[in-house]
Amino acid sequence: MSEPLLDVRDLDVFLPTRSGPVHVLDGVSFSVDAARTTGLIGESGSGKTMAAMAIIGLLPAGAVTRGQLWWRSEDLLAVSSRRRRQVRGREIAMIFQDPLASLNPGQTVGRQVTEIPRRDGMGRAELARTATHLLDRVGIPDPAQRTGNYPHQFSGGQRQRAMTALALAGQPQLILADEPTTALDVTVQARILDLLRHLRDTEHTAMLLVSHDLRVMAHVADDLVVMYAGRVCERGPAQAVLREPRHPYTKALVASVPAVRARTAIADPLPGSPADPAHRPAGCAFHPRCPLAVLRCRVERPTVREVAPGRWTACHLAEADGLPDAAEVRP
């Protein structure tokens, strides 16, 4: 097998607070292969967006990062700040969650999507052609005219497409997409997801897709990384993870979304509240909400291990034959 395009190894992130540093990412490891979409899934506060920000180097001031971020043959945590800036935008680009807040309201969309070519010294006429081409690639109608419009003159879906055009401007090998369909209606969501899948298939661009929505992942992701309380609890091929979860948290997530469940359309809400990384429980962080938890889960942190070919999970009870039922664990 070929080496992954991005290999995240034992990533730790500490954020400064008034009461001291908070360990928001704890030993996170996963990889992204070329021309594939890897999904980062989890509830709010699981650390998925923080992981994406660490990869692209946009963590808040004062954050401390440990581990390794292997980008092809370079560890991005060990290179110079100048090299990191060269990677950002050109080799690894990002589509942010809120395009209205991320796009500059005082500049035309055409100017913004050609920021990287402009820094490279491209002439005015070529910049105009490039802006039109980029907007056309992401499916914005009448792209030559729309390059002169400002962000507020675009609909929500068109702004998200413009953000995607901006990300494509540097011809990156990897795009990080942070909740790209949030606040969009269902029809527009489907169009944006189809666009991302089309870019993966036609441009062979790898993607790391951050979302809390399993239906989004089922539609787009090739591989899935499930996060809880700043840790990875399961990873593997997306359809296999959704069809046969090997971690109780993943199983609960799938059960909470009717469209993802195979046998019923009745949702089973996930009880309790997500663990706070500032006060992460001992042992398995999910054990206070887990119907399978035993004493070992409360005192011993499970390691992420391969329980089946290509299937990795951090659960003491997950073996090759899958998770036991609660009745098998507790009489």
Side-chain angles (χ1 to χ4, degrees):
M1 294 181 64
S2 59
E3 291 294 319
L5 190 64
L6 174 72
D7 193 4
V8 180
R9 302 180 189 175
D10 297 319
L11 178 64
D12 291 311
V13 172
F14 298 82
L15 292 184
T17 68
R18 292 181 179 179
S19 57
V22 175
H23 197 182
V24 294
L25 292 186
D26 185 5
V28 170
S29 297
F30 63 88
S31 61
V32 180
D33 293 329
R36 289 178 69 85
T37 297
T38 296
L40 278 182
I41 188 78
E43 295 170 288
S44 296
S46 63
K48 53 192 186 297
T49 294
M50 197 63 61
M53 292 298 184
I55 292 167
I56 204 168
L58 293 177
L59 290 172
V64 176
T65 308
R66 299 173 185 168
Q68 297 175 316
L69 292 173
W70 286 101
W71 171 243
R72 296 183 295 186
S73 61
E74 296 179 289
D75 179 4
L76 295 180
L77 296 183
V79 300
S80 66
S81 56
R82 182 171 181 267
R83 173 59 183 149
R84 198 72 188 271
R85 288 193 298 271
Q86 289 175 341
V87 170
R88 188 185 305 132
R90 288 180 169 85
E91 299 176 37
I92 303 176
M94 188 151 190
I95 302 172
F96 293 96
Q97 180 175 348
D98 184 357
L100 188 58
S102 303
L103 293 169
N104 188 332
Q107 290 185 357
T108 65
V109 167
R111 181 175 181 83
Q112 293 182 67
V113 299
T114 54
E115 179 180 348
I116 291 177
R118 182 175 293 101
R119 291 204 304 262
D120 293 340
M122 184 179 288
R124 181 178 297 181
E126 186 62 23
L127 284 171
R129 287 191 292 269
T130 298
T132 299
H133 173 65
L134 287 169
L135 295 189
D136 183 57
R137 283 176 67 188
V138 297
I140 292 181
D142 198 12
Q145 296 297 320
R146 300 308 300 275
T147 59
N149 290 158
Y150 292 85
H152 72 272
Q153 295 174 290
F154 284 69
S155 67
Q158 288 175 338
R159 282 193 293 267
Q160 195 60 270
R161 289 174 182 268
M163 278 293 302
T164 304
L166 194 155
L168 291 173
Q171 297 182 320
Q173 291 87 54
L174 172 64
I175 291 178
L176 312 180
D178 183 15
E179 301 278 7
T181 60
T182 297
L184 300 176
D185 65 51
V186 175
T187 302
V188 178
Q189 281 186 19
R191 291 172 181 167
I192 295 297
L193 294 176
D194 285 341
L195 169 63
L196 295 178
R197 190 164 55 181
H198 175 74
L199 291 172
R200 176 198 61 193
D201 295 341
T202 59
E203 307 290 336
H204 305 294
T205 304
M207 292 192 187
L208 182 64
L209 177 63
V210 175
S211 180
H212 66 278
D213 192 337
L214 279 175
R215 289 166 296 191
V216 169
M217 295 304 183
H219 190 67
V220 176
D222 300 303
D223 306 293
L224 208 57
V225 179
V226 184
M227 295 189 64
Y228 185 78
R231 297 172 179 170
V232 172
C233 60
E234 181 166 6
R235 54 187 170 92
Q239 293 305 316
V241 170
L242 296 174
R243 184 173 58 252
E244 189 180 357
R246 295 300 180 94
H247 193 283
Y249 176 61
T250 311
K251 187 174 182 179
L253 284 180
V254 172
S256 70
V257 183
V260 176
R261 301 188 69 178
R263 297 181 181 177
T264 178
I266 301 174
D268 187 7
L270 181 60
S273 300
D276 181 359
H279 305 284
R280 195 179 284 116
C284 174
F286 186 61
H287 85 254
R289 307 170 72 187
C290 182
L292 304 179
V294 296
L295 178 60
R296 184 184 181 190
C297 305
R298 298 183 178 95
V299 298
E300 181 185 339
R301 175 181 173 180
T303 58
V304 180
R305 69 189 194 282
E306 192 172 20
V307 295
R311 299 294 304 277
W312 298 76
T313 189
C315 178
H316 294 306
L317 303 176
E319 299 300 339
D321 55 353
L323 288 171
D325 292 328
E328 298 175 11
V329 177
R330 297 177 180 172

Short mmCIF file of all heavy atoms in Angstrom, two decimals, residues 45-72:
data_model
loop_
_atom_site.label_atom_id
_atom_site.label_comp_id
_atom_site.label_asym_id
_atom_site.label_seq_id
_atom_site.Cartn_x
_atom_site.Cartn_y
_atom_site.Cartn_z
N GLY A 45 -17.62 19.70 20.60
CA GLY A 45 -16.63 19.57 21.65
C GLY A 45 -15.80 18.31 21.57
O GLY A 45 -14.95 18.08 22.43
N SER A 46 -16.00 17.49 20.52
CA SER A 46 -15.23 16.25 20.41
C SER A 46 -13.80 16.48 19.97
O SER A 46 -12.96 15.58 20.09
CB SER A 46 -15.92 15.29 19.44
OG SER A 46 -15.97 15.85 18.13
N GLY A 47 -13.50 17.66 19.41
CA GLY A 47 -12.13 17.98 19.00
C GLY A 47 -11.89 17.89 17.52
O GLY A 47 -10.77 18.12 17.05
N LYS A 48 -12.93 17.62 16.73
CA LYS A 48 -12.73 17.41 15.30
C LYS A 48 -12.27 18.69 14.59
O LYS A 48 -11.34 18.65 13.77
CB LYS A 48 -13.99 16.84 14.66
CG LYS A 48 -15.26 17.61 14.91
CD LYS A 48 -16.49 16.83 14.49
CE LYS A 48 -17.76 17.67 14.61
NZ LYS A 48 -18.04 18.09 16.00
N THR A 49 -12.88 19.83 14.89
CA THR A 49 -12.45 21.09 14.27
C THR A 49 -11.06 21.48 14.75
O THR A 49 -10.24 21.98 13.97
CB THR A 49 -13.45 22.22 14.58
OG1 THR A 49 -14.70 21.92 13.94
CG2 THR A 49 -12.94 23.56 14.08
N MET A 50 -10.77 21.24 16.03
CA MET A 50 -9.45 21.54 16.56
C MET A 50 -8.37 20.75 15.83
O MET A 50 -7.27 21.26 15.57
CB MET A 50 -9.42 21.24 18.05
CG MET A 50 -8.26 21.89 18.80
SD MET A 50 -8.30 23.69 18.75
CE MET A 50 -9.87 24.01 19.58
N ALA A 51 -8.67 19.50 15.49
CA ALA A 51 -7.71 18.69 14.75
C ALA A 51 -7.43 19.30 13.38
O ALA A 51 -6.28 19.37 12.94
CB ALA A 51 -8.23 17.26 14.61
N ALA A 52 -8.48 19.75 12.69
CA ALA A 52 -8.30 20.38 11.38
C ALA A 52 -7.49 21.66 11.49
O ALA A 52 -6.60 21.93 10.66
CB ALA A 52 -9.66 20.66 10.75
N MET A 53 -7.77 22.46 12.52
CA MET A 53 -7.03 23.71 12.71
C MET A 53 -5.56 23.45 13.02
O MET A 53 -4.68 24.21 12.61
CB MET A 53 -7.67 24.52 13.83
CG MET A 53 -9.05 25.07 13.49
SD MET A 53 -9.00 26.22 12.09
CE MET A 53 -10.71 26.75 12.04
N ALA A 54 -5.29 22.38 13.77
CA ALA A 54 -3.90 22.04 14.06
C ALA A 54 -3.15 21.65 12.80
O ALA A 54 -1.98 22.00 12.61
CB ALA A 54 -3.86 20.90 15.08
N ILE A 55 -3.82 20.92 11.91
CA ILE A 55 -3.19 20.49 10.66
C ILE A 55 -2.81 21.68 9.81
O ILE A 55 -1.70 21.74 9.27
CB ILE A 55 -4.13 19.54 9.90
CG1 ILE A 55 -4.29 18.22 10.65
CG2 ILE A 55 -3.62 19.29 8.48
CD1 ILE A 55 -5.41 17.34 10.15
N ILE A 56 -3.71 22.64 9.69
CA ILE A 56 -3.44 23.78 8.79
C ILE A 56 -2.68 24.90 9.50
O ILE A 56 -2.27 25.88 8.88
CB ILE A 56 -4.75 24.31 8.18
CG1 ILE A 56 -4.45 25.04 6.86
CG2 ILE A 56 -5.53 25.17 9.16
CD1 ILE A 56 -5.68 25.34 6.03
N GLY A 57 -2.48 24.76 10.82
CA GLY A 57 -1.69 25.75 11.55
C GLY A 57 -2.44 27.01 11.90
O GLY A 57 -1.87 28.10 11.87
N LEU A 58 -3.70 26.87 12.28
CA LEU A 58 -4.51 28.04 12.62
C LEU A 58 -5.08 27.94 14.04
O LEU A 58 -6.18 28.39 14.31
CB LEU A 58 -5.66 28.20 11.61
CG LEU A 58 -5.26 28.57 10.18
CD1 LEU A 58 -6.49 28.62 9.29
CD2 LEU A 58 -4.52 29.90 10.14
N LEU A 59 -4.31 27.37 14.95
CA LEU A 59 -4.74 27.28 16.33
C LEU A 59 -4.67 28.64 17.01
O LEU A 59 -3.90 29.52 16.58
CB LEU A 59 -3.87 26.27 17.10
CG LEU A 59 -4.05 24.81 16.72
CD1 LEU A 59 -3.00 23.96 17.42
CD2 LEU A 59 -5.44 24.32 17.07
N PRO A 60 -5.44 28.85 18.08
CA PRO A 60 -5.39 30.14 18.79
C PRO A 60 -4.00 30.43 19.35
O PRO A 60 -3.21 29.51 19.59
CB PRO A 60 -6.41 29.95 19.92
CG PRO A 60 -7.30 28.85 19.47
CD PRO A 60 -6.46 27.95 18.63
N ALA A 61 -3.71 31.70 19.57
CA ALA A 61 -2.43 32.11 20.13
C ALA A 61 -2.24 31.45 21.50
O ALA A 61 -3.17 31.36 22.29
CB ALA A 61 -2.38 33.63 20.27
N GLY A 62 -1.04 30.98 21.75
CA GLY A 62 -0.74 30.35 23.03
C GLY A 62 -0.97 28.86 23.07
O GLY A 62 -0.64 28.21 24.06
N ALA A 63 -1.54 28.30 22.00
CA ALA A 63 -1.77 26.85 21.97
C ALA A 63 -0.44 26.11 21.88
O ALA A 63 0.50 26.57 21.22
CB ALA A 63 -2.65 26.48 20.79
N VAL A 64 -0.36 24.98 22.54
CA VAL A 64 0.83 24.13 22.51
C VAL A 64 0.47 22.82 21.80
O VAL A 64 -0.53 22.18 22.15
CB VAL A 64 1.35 23.84 23.93
CG1 VAL A 64 2.53 22.88 23.89
CG2 VAL A 64 1.75 25.14 24.62
N THR A 65 1.27 22.44 20.81
CA THR A 65 0.99 21.25 20.02
C THR A 65 2.15 20.28 20.11
O THR A 65 3.32 20.67 20.02
CB THR A 65 0.78 21.63 18.53
OG1 THR A 65 -0.20 22.67 18.45
CG2 THR A 65 0.30 20.43 17.74
N ARG A 66 1.83 19.01 20.31
CA ARG A 66 2.83 17.95 20.36
C ARG A 66 2.40 16.81 19.44
O ARG A 66 1.23 16.68 19.12
CB ARG A 66 3.00 17.43 21.79
CG ARG A 66 3.47 18.47 22.80
CD ARG A 66 3.44 17.90 24.21
NE ARG A 66 3.79 18.91 25.21
CZ ARG A 66 3.63 18.76 26.50
NH1 ARG A 66 3.10 17.63 26.98
NH2 ARG A 66 3.98 19.71 27.34
N GLY A 67 3.37 15.99 19.07
CA GLY A 67 3.09 14.88 18.18
C GLY A 67 3.73 15.10 16.83
O GLY A 67 4.72 15.83 16.70
N GLN A 68 3.16 14.49 15.81
CA GLN A 68 3.69 14.60 14.46
C GLN A 68 2.55 14.75 13.46
O GLN A 68 1.51 14.10 13.59
CB GLN A 68 4.53 13.37 14.09
CG GLN A 68 5.77 13.19 14.95
CD GLN A 68 6.51 11.91 14.65
OE1 GLN A 68 5.88 10.85 14.49
NE2 GLN A 68 7.82 11.97 14.55
N LEU A 69 2.78 15.62 12.48
CA LEU A 69 1.84 15.82 11.38
C LEU A 69 2.62 15.60 10.08
O LEU A 69 3.16 16.54 9.49
CB LEU A 69 1.24 17.23 11.40
CG LEU A 69 0.31 17.59 12.55
CD1 LEU A 69 -0.04 19.08 12.50
CD2 LEU A 69 -0.95 16.75 12.50
N TRP A 70 2.68 14.35 9.65
CA TRP A 70 3.46 14.04 8.46
C TRP A 70 2.68 14.37 7.20
O TRP A 70 1.65 13.75 6.90
CB TRP A 70 3.87 12.57 8.46
CG TRP A 70 4.96 12.29 9.45
CD1 TRP A 70 4.83 11.74 10.68
CD2 TRP A 70 6.35 12.58 9.28
NE1 TRP A 70 6.04 11.67 11.30
CE2 TRP A 70 7.00 12.17 10.47
CE3 TRP A 70 7.11 13.14 8.26
CZ2 TRP A 70 8.37 12.32 10.66
CZ3 TRP A 70 8.47 13.28 8.44
CH2 TRP A 70 9.10 12.87 9.61
N TRP A 71 3.18 15.37 6.49
CA TRP A 71 2.61 15.77 5.21
C TRP A 71 3.58 15.30 4.13
O TRP A 71 4.64 15.90 3.96
CB TRP A 71 2.41 17.28 5.16
CG TRP A 71 2.02 17.83 3.82
CD1 TRP A 71 2.74 18.71 3.05
CD2 TRP A 71 0.82 17.55 3.09
NE1 TRP A 71 2.07 18.99 1.89
CE2 TRP A 71 0.89 18.29 1.88
CE3 TRP A 71 -0.29 16.74 3.33
CZ2 TRP A 71 -0.13 18.24 0.93
CZ3 TRP A 71 -1.29 16.69 2.38
CH2 TRP A 71 -1.21 17.43 1.20
N ARG A 72 3.25 14.19 3.51
CA ARG A 72 4.16 13.52 2.59
C ARG A 72 5.47 13.20 3.33
O ARG A 72 5.47 12.35 4.20
CB ARG A 72 4.34 14.34 1.33
CG ARG A 72 3.00 14.45 0.58
CD ARG A 72 3.11 15.19 -0.73
NE ARG A 72 3.47 16.58 -0.56
CZ ARG A 72 3.51 17.45 -1.54
NH1 ARG A 72 3.24 17.07 -2.78
NH2 ARG A 72 3.83 18.71 -1.33
#
